[in-house]
DNA sequence: CGCGTCGCGTCAGCCGGCCGTCAGGATGAC
DNA sequence: GTCATCCTGACGGCCGGCTGACGCGACGCG
């Protein structure tokens, strides 16, 4: 496996790097967020280890922007013990796991193995669903061969449905996915976006489960 | 979601239970491993919260034996801070996550959400009961191969029965399950919903115990 | 700086069907 | 038989959901 380590502490970074290499993986080590972004764009990585406090910015918004851009690589957050709220925000921002500093190197290995196992079957980039061809990573899609443009919110909504096809998602869940923890939204907003998505992608795509939520229709 | 909490500390257990309920889930709380085993055998659970130190044994070997027996329900371990080796052993034994005591209740919620999300795409457990195939998580079910639609209230009612198969549930209990604390309801309402469920799923499914309540018929 | 465009959150009005209620009949206990 | 309990068809209120319209703010362009 090839990993990306984003960590500005030289001592900790070296220890983590050595441990990963000792486990038989390879690792790219950067100390800044912009370098991390470049590294992800330049080459495929199987896993990202992300420190939350870096000289050029905070990890949480960075992670959020990654996820918003369709980056699906699993992320393990490295954070200090007392930042409980950071850990929660990290999971909500799309992290797969976190490690609390100081952590045991054997535990790091166990965590990496756990996340890697979880992602063993990698999904193919282009999803075909009915008459739709969806390329999540490139944010492009076509309906019956004709290209369709989606706005940012519409992509976020579609992402949420594609992540769990067939499963019911409550409006509260969708709201949580689309918005920051603290932004409050009129309850009807989700309905409006669902309506707009249906208009672009076909009314059958998203089924209403009255009183429960919405779900992606089977292909 | 329905969870199983295995925790012998009364104060911590109550706090966890309250938090889970506040999040809109239901929870069965036991304080011993043998009771936990019975509960898992008796009914479907979506998640297990497992303390590692219990009066009748250790959690790790218990978890190992569960996994060896094919039990796939996700497990979050609750453990004390200093037991690093236990955390690793827990993950190796098949736990999906752990929480370090003392933990923040909001973090508990986030962790539960994370694990639940992780399992959302996985094949859901399908309960087979007579001619019925019931997928509780996806809220889909079929009778003799033919799909059947249930309303929100009907699902809630079916949930209640499936949670305690074979056990008699009084109308008062069912009422408590289906409605908010403060909403008052005409006594006959439950009867009506039972009647509607029977019409959709078969009259034999729910047995009337005159003067006592209802119970799910054996498969 | 002013104007046009676009995304998105909010609102209001409509609509369909869920579900709470009722009443009359069926069933069971004794 | 008598009474309590339960069943179920019918009905309508109201609530959840849908969508066209509007306005605000961001952004781009001349």
């Amino acid at each position: 496996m090839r990993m990306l380590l984003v960590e500005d502490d030289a001592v900790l970074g070296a220890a983590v790097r050595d441990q990963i290499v000792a486990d038989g993986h390879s690792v790219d080590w950067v100390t800044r967020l912009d370098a991390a972004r470049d590294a992800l764009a330049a080459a495929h990585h199987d896993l990202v280890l992300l420190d939350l406090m870096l000289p050029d910015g905070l990890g949480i918004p960075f992670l959020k922007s990654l996820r918003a851009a369709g980056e699906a690589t699993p992320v393990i957050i490295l954070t200090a013990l007392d930042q409980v709220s950071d850990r929660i925000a990290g999971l909500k921002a799309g992290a797969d796991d976190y490690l609390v500093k100081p952590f045991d190197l054997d535990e790091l290995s166990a965590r990496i193995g756990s996340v890697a196992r979880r992602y063993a079957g990698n999904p193919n980039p282009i999803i075909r669903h009915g008459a739709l061809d969806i390329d999540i990573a490139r944010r492009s899609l076509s309906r019956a061969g004709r290209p369709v443009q989606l706005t940012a919110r519409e992509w976020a909504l579609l992402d949420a449905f594609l992540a769990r096809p067939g499963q019911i998602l409550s409006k509260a869940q969708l709201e949580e996915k689309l918005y920051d923890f603290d932004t409050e939204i009129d309850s009807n907003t989700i309905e409006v976006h669902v309506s707009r998505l249906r208009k672009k992608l076909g009314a059958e795509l998203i089924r209403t489960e009255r009183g429960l939520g919405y779900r992606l229709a089977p292909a």
Side-chain angles (χ1 to χ4, degrees), chain A:
Chain A
M1 295 211 315
R2 178 172 183 180
M3 308 188 194
L4 177 63
L5 171 62
V6 190
E7 170 63 65
D8 64 322
D9 183 316
V11 176
L12 178 61
V16 170
R17 182 199 54 198
D18 293 348
Q19 177 75 9
I20 292 173
V21 170
D23 284 339
H25 306 293
S26 73
V27 58
D28 298 330
W29 179 11
V30 300
T31 59
R32 299 173 58 87
L33 292 180
D34 45 14
R37 200 182 293 271
D38 292 343
L40 285 172
H44 168 81
H45 294 83
D46 300 296
L47 183 66
V48 177
L49 298 167
L50 177 64
D51 185 16
L52 286 188
M53 289 285 278
L54 287 163
D56 62 337
L58 294 175
I60 300 283
F62 172 75
L63 176 55
K64 255 189 185 163
S65 70
L66 276 189
R67 292 295 188 228
E71 178 62 60
T73 308
V75 171
I76 295 180
I77 282 178
L78 311 177
T79 182
L81 177 62
D82 51 332
Q83 298 167 313
V84 175
S85 60
D86 277 351
R87 290 192 253 160
I88 298 172
L91 291 172
K92 285 193 171 168
D96 295 79
D97 221 323
Y98 63 73
L99 276 165
V100 177
K101 298 181 191 179
F103 49 82
D104 190 287
L105 287 175
D106 286 334
E107 188 176 354
L108 171 66
S109 295
R111 282 291 186 174
I112 288 174
S114 169
V115 170
R117 231 173 294 126
R118 207 177 291 160
Y119 275 81
N122 252 7
N124 39 346
I126 291 195
I127 299 172
R128 216 153 286 176
H129 188 279
L132 301 174
D133 287 353
I134 310 169
D135 187 335
I136 298 189
R138 303 174 84 90
R139 309 259 99 163
S140 78
L141 94 141
S142 59
R143 178 185 180 193
R146 219 167 352 205
V148 178
Q149 304 284 343
L150 295 188
T151 70
R153 278 278 133 81
E154 285 159 3
W155 271 114
L157 190 59
L158 184 57
D159 277 351
F161 283 117
L162 288 175
R164 296 191 251 175
Q167 174 128 4
I168 296 183
L169 299 174
S170 72
K171 284 186 224 177
Q173 286 177 290
L174 293 170
E175 201 172 311
E176 201 177 334
K177 271 265 184 186
L178 298 207
Y179 300 93
D180 283 338
F181 173 70
D182 52 351
T183 53
E184 302 202 358
I185 254 16
D186 191 32
S187 62
N188 147 282
T189 309
I190 297 294
E191 299 171 14
V192 174
H193 283 293
V194 168
S195 173
R196 286 168 181 162
L197 245 195
R198 280 176 176 156
K199 196 179 280 186
K200 289 187 179 180
L201 302 184
E204 335 69 61
L205 184 71
I206 300 170
R207 299 242 160 101
T208 302
E209 302 295 335
R210 184 166 247 263
L212 302 172
Y214 299 94
R215 78 164 94 198
L216 198 67

